[in-house]
Amino acid sequence: MSRTQSEVPSSAMEWPALADAERGVLRELLIHGPLPRAEIARRLGVSRASLTRVTRALMDHGLVAEGDVELRGATGRPSELLVVRHDARHFLGVKLTGDTVYAVVTDLGARIVATHEEPIGSREPDAVIDQIAAIHVRFAEAYGTIVACGVALAGDLAVMDGRQIVASSAFLGWKDVYLAERLTDRLGIPTGAENDVRALTATEHWFGAGAGCSSLALITVGAGVGFGFVVDNRLVTGHHGRAGRLDHLPVDTAGPVCGSGHRGCVSALLPNQAIVDALRIPGLDFAGVVELARDGHAGARRAFIDAGQALGVLIGTVANALDPEKIVLAGDGLVVMELAGREVHAMIERALAPGVPAPAVDVQPFEFDEWARGGAVLGIRTMLRF
């Protein structure tokens, strides 16, 4: 049974003001799991005495506890591990599409403990903010330790004059909306907003397939094609908040034309709707094309082969440009790896520059709640000022 707000100590209702060293220790434990003090001190380059003071403060705040004792190293000496108290605080994550609000509550380790989904009543910013506020109120009745919120949405976000703004979001029809600022005032807790793919990239970097990697690339395939990059442990945003716009990379000069008028680009071949449109069968949806391809339908197979080649070009281009430690693939359109995996890998090999090693590619199973979880991780990162 979930604890109610009345059962949560008042000290746990807020996020403590942490020093830089305290945030650093907490981040190491969140990403790498339980660690002995000596290992944390080595990773952060601090003395054991300094680390003792830091960990004592984190314990006083209820964020860290002492865990099991295990034998580590060549000496075989027992080491007491420090662990994060994942249930000490909770975070609200929201994903906005053009017609639906997806919301989750996660613990401090980004594990989902509650979910909610409802249609967007109106796309007007005021109405959406009201809707998120109502969801927060309902969740807070069961999780009184929600200390921050993050909202993920498709679009361009930037900082102007020190204030974050949703510069544009085509699905919502928004321009120049101070979403994070307004939600912070409305909810009474720190709230961040981020492009949904970058939020998902940050989630994979800290809590997913990219945990422990200093460089990472994420490619999402579904309604569109998205990109997120981590370089030297930093999420890349770009000067205008638009880093990673590779969705119109040319692939086939004789291919179909995308919605922006580009012939044979990635967006004309790889997204789910592009694969549907290739068959020109009235009433057919993406699930129907997948079924046809699995049954051996020549046109459906051809559409997925073309999509697979586009994905291979993308992966090879990213590997050439960034040399990431790992490339993670996610999204509901990755059935292309099942139906055209051979073409994907063949095109990666063709696209790689001489001497560039084949990248480690990790295909992740995907549920839509992962987008909202990315919002919650944004909340965690906001509180750690990362």
Side-chain angles (χ1 to χ4, degrees):
M1 180 180 294
S2 302
R3 294 183 300 176
T4 64
Q5 186 165 335
S6 62
E7 294 173 314
V8 177
S10 59
S11 61
M13 298 297 291
E14 299 178 355
W15 184 262
L18 300 178
D20 288 346
E22 293 161 2
R23 289 195 298 271
V25 169
L26 187 55
R27 177 181 174 274
E28 289 297 312
L29 292 173
L30 284 173
I31 295 174
H32 301 290
L35 293 170
R37 286 177 172 84
E39 175 67 11
I40 299 172
R42 185 191 64 79
R43 287 173 177 269
L44 298 178
V46 300
S47 68
R48 290 290 299 272
S50 296
L51 185 66
T52 297
R53 290 192 294 271
V54 169
T55 55
R56 184 181 299 118
L58 291 173
M59 289 179 182
D60 289 344
H61 292 310
L63 297 173
V64 168
E66 293 178 335
D68 295 335
V69 174
E70 66 175 39
L71 299 180
R72 297 176 69 94
T75 64
R77 293 178 180 175
S79 297
E80 191 170 52
L81 304 183
L82 291 177
V83 299
V84 174
R85 293 185 58 190
H86 291 123
D87 62 348
R89 305 292 192 279
H90 289 90
F91 299 82
L92 174 62
V94 176
K95 157 67 175 174
L96 299 175
T97 70
D99 54 20
T100 306
V101 179
Y102 297 89
V104 301
V105 174
T106 75
D107 63 16
L108 185 52
R111 293 178 292 199
I112 295 175
V113 297
T115 64
H116 177 75
E117 173 186 339
E118 66 183 45
I120 288 179
S122 167
R123 294 179 183 172
E124 289 298 316
D126 287 347
V128 173
I129 289 170
D130 286 344
Q131 204 165 348
I132 294 173
I135 291 171
H136 172 245
V137 168
R138 290 198 296 272
F139 272 140
E141 291 177 356
Y143 298 94
T145 52
I146 295 176
V147 295
C149 173
V151 181
L153 69 160
D156 294 330
L157 289 87
V159 176
M160 299 178 61
D161 299 324
R163 303 169 67 191
Q164 190 194 54
I165 188 171
V166 180
S168 66
S169 178
F171 289 123
L172 291 165
W174 287 2
K175 284 189 177 296
D176 300 337
V177 177
Y178 291 94
L179 180 65
E181 187 176 291
R182 294 181 62 186
L183 278 171
T184 295
D185 292 341
R186 182 66 181 277
L187 303 185
I189 55 176
T191 300
E194 184 55 276
N195 171 272
D196 51 2
V197 177
R198 283 203 293 268
L200 187 60
T201 303
T203 302
E204 290 294 334
H205 181 219
W206 276 22
F207 300 105
C213 295
S214 63
S215 63
L216 175 74
L218 174 81
I219 301 175
T220 61
V221 180
V225 183
F227 306 87
F229 305 121
V230 172
V231 176
D232 292 335
N233 284 314
R234 291 287 178 179
L235 191 65
V236 177
T237 59
H239 182 66
H240 299 100
R242 300 180 184 131
R245 297 296 296 268
L246 295 175
D247 44 328
H248 292 283
L249 185 73
V251 175
D252 181 0
T253 56
V257 177
C258 77
S260 297
H262 302 141
R263 181 170 295 281
C265 70
V266 168
S267 288
L269 297 166
L270 183 53
N272 296 354
Q273 191 59 47
I275 293 172
V276 173
D277 292 344
L279 269 71
R280 301 180 182 178
I281 299 177
L284 187 66
D285 60 9
F286 184 66
V289 180
V290 171
E291 185 176 353
L292 286 175
R294 286 172 174 162
D295 289 340
H297 185 281
R301 292 285 301 164
R302 182 71 252 173
F304 274 104
I305 287 172
D306 290 343
Q309 291 175 340
L311 180 57
V313 169
L314 273 181
I315 294 171
T317 300
V318 169
N320 289 335
L322 294 177
D323 188 26
E325 192 172 343
K326 182 177 288 189
I327 297 177
V328 177
L329 305 182
D332 60 324
L334 283 182
V335 67
V336 66
M337 292 298 294
E338 171 200 336
L339 296 171
R342 182 171 59 184
E343 288 77 13
V344 172
H345 290 290
M347 195 58 71
I348 291 173
E349 291 183 9
R350 288 181 58 185
L352 288 174
V356 175
V361 178
D362 193 319
V363 182
Q364 286 293 299
F366 190 79
E367 299 291 340
F368 215 84
D369 286 340
E370 284 296 300
W371 292 112
R373 181 174 177 246
V377 171
L378 173 61
I380 296 172
R381 291 168 64 96
T382 296
M383 302 315 292
L384 289 176
R385 300 182 189 175
F386 201 89

